[in-house]
Amino acid sequence: MSSEGKTRALTIPGLRRMKEKGERIVALTAYDALFARLEDQAGVDLILVGDSVGMVYGGRADTLAVTVEQMVYHTACVRRGVERALLITDMPFLSVQGGFDEALRNCGRMLAEGGAQGVKIEGCAAVLETIRRLVECGIPVMGHLGLIPQSIHRLGGYGQRGRSAGEAAQLLEDAQRLEEAGCFSLVLEKLEPGLAARITGGLRIPTIGIGSGPDCDGQVLVNVDLLGLYEELQPAFVRRFAELAGPVREAVRDYATAVRLGGFPGPGEI
Ligand code: KIV
């Protein structure tokens, strides 16, 4: 049983029921078994193995270099830490655009080898038919609209999306098309909050917001942002629920001092 007393594993239909009942969905990223276990025990509903792993653990400036192999590895690590939460994994840059067979093989690996219960795919027009066919093949797909980091060079920056009437209309239409293609949920990243609310109100599937205001059906954050461990970027929408980078540095400094002064190991630490 998790420390929050939630015992039943969450399913994809269960996520939809949460929207119908007006229960807000708590989502968070994880990349390893250690944090995944802590998050699952804390009662997180959905754990996303984000390709943000390339930035927060890989030290890169964007997500584009992340590979299918790396996502399979991180997904399998997270799987070993999760009992209750729904486990969804990101399909990396260009892993589903090279033809349906390749997309099916890559997505299938996330479920069969990684143990994910679904995959997340960014964008709409270029992947819509692929998503429809993946869902027909039994692979649950979460969509992702707004600021889609794999298109960072096309978008030109990490600013808010959906501010112009034209872009807002396109995003509203894309959300409808993704629901109709069979997506079980949509991530809305850095959307103008009023637009995120309109999209959420117009869909039967739940939306999970990040930097898109309070009116999505759930919220997702990158775990090391929430914990104050990732200091490279500090988007305004991130609330740090802890400040752990300082205490980590302090503990390591204390250890180094103890080793250098001969204070570690001490009596009884052998
Ligand atoms: O890669 C990621 O972590 C994500 C979430 C922030 C939505 O896509």
Side-chain angles (χ1 to χ4, degrees):
M1 179 161 45
S2 80
S3 61
E4 298 300 304
K6 294 176 172 178
T7 48
R8 289 185 51 200
L10 189 62
T11 61
I12 283 175
L15 203 70
R16 173 84 159 255
R17 283 195 292 275
M18 286 181 76
K19 173 165 180 145
E20 287 161 4
K21 289 194 263 177
E23 288 176 26
R24 287 180 183 256
I25 298 161
V26 179
L28 192 58
T29 69
Y31 315 96
D32 54 62
L34 174 65
F35 275 92
R37 185 171 296 114
L38 294 171
E39 293 171 23
D40 196 49
Q41 289 169 349
V44 165
D45 299 311
L46 186 155
I47 293 185
L48 172 70
V49 188
D51 61 354
S52 48
V53 67
M55 298 173 72
V56 297
Y57 282 95
R60 293 186 184 269
D62 56 48
T63 60
L64 303 187
V66 174
T67 66
V68 169
E69 210 55 52
Q70 289 165 357
M71 291 307 294
V72 170
Y73 171 77
H74 285 285
T75 304
C77 292
V78 170
R79 175 75 279 165
R80 292 190 281 272
V82 173
E83 286 181 22
R84 175 190 170 268
L86 189 64
L87 175 52
I88 306 301
T89 203
D90 253 343
M91 293 312 297
F93 182 52
L94 297 186
S95 61
V96 295
Q97 286 85 351
F100 181 71
D101 290 350
E102 188 186 339
L104 184 63
R105 198 164 43 247
N106 287 337
C107 293
R109 288 189 66 191
M110 300 303 169
L111 274 68
E113 295 174 46
Q117 288 153 284
V119 298
K120 175 164 80 59
I121 294 177
E122 293 186 9
C124 182
V127 288
L128 193 67
E129 280 318 303
T130 299
I131 288 176
R132 197 186 306 280
R133 292 182 66 189
L134 287 168
V135 173
E136 278 168 10
C137 290
I139 297 185
V141 179
M142 173 181 239
H144 184 161
L145 290 176
L147 172 60
I148 41 176
Q150 291 170 15
S151 297
I152 190 61
H153 296 308
R154 176 171 61 79
L155 298 177
Y158 289 97
Q160 193 179 64
R161 310 306 309 180
R163 293 171 102 146
S164 74
E167 192 183 19
Q170 184 65 60
L171 286 163
L172 273 163
E173 188 186 324
D174 287 353
Q176 292 292 339
R177 288 162 83 200
L178 287 168
E179 173 172 281
E180 185 269 324
C183 283
F184 69 87
S185 174
L186 286 190
V187 166
L188 302 179
E189 181 162 354
K190 270 198 116 174
L191 277 196
E192 189 284 311
L195 176 62
R198 279 179 70 195
I199 290 176
T200 300
L203 295 179
R204 286 170 314 225
I205 58 172
T207 61
I208 311 289
I210 174 162
S212 299
D215 294 322
C216 298
D217 297 303
Q219 297 289 329
V220 62
L221 280 178
V222 167
N223 63 0
V224 289
D225 281 343
L226 168 163
L227 296 170
L229 273 171
Y230 184 61
E231 296 179 315
E232 317 311 308
L233 289 174
Q234 296 184 28
F237 63 79
V238 167
R239 187 187 301 175
R240 290 182 165 182
F241 288 82
E243 292 287 352
L244 298 186
V248 168
R249 268 192 295 268
E250 230 162 87
V252 174
R253 266 191 217 115
D254 289 350
Y255 163 68
T257 303
V259 170
R260 287 182 187 124
L261 297 180
F264 178 81
E269 289 176 323
I270 298 167

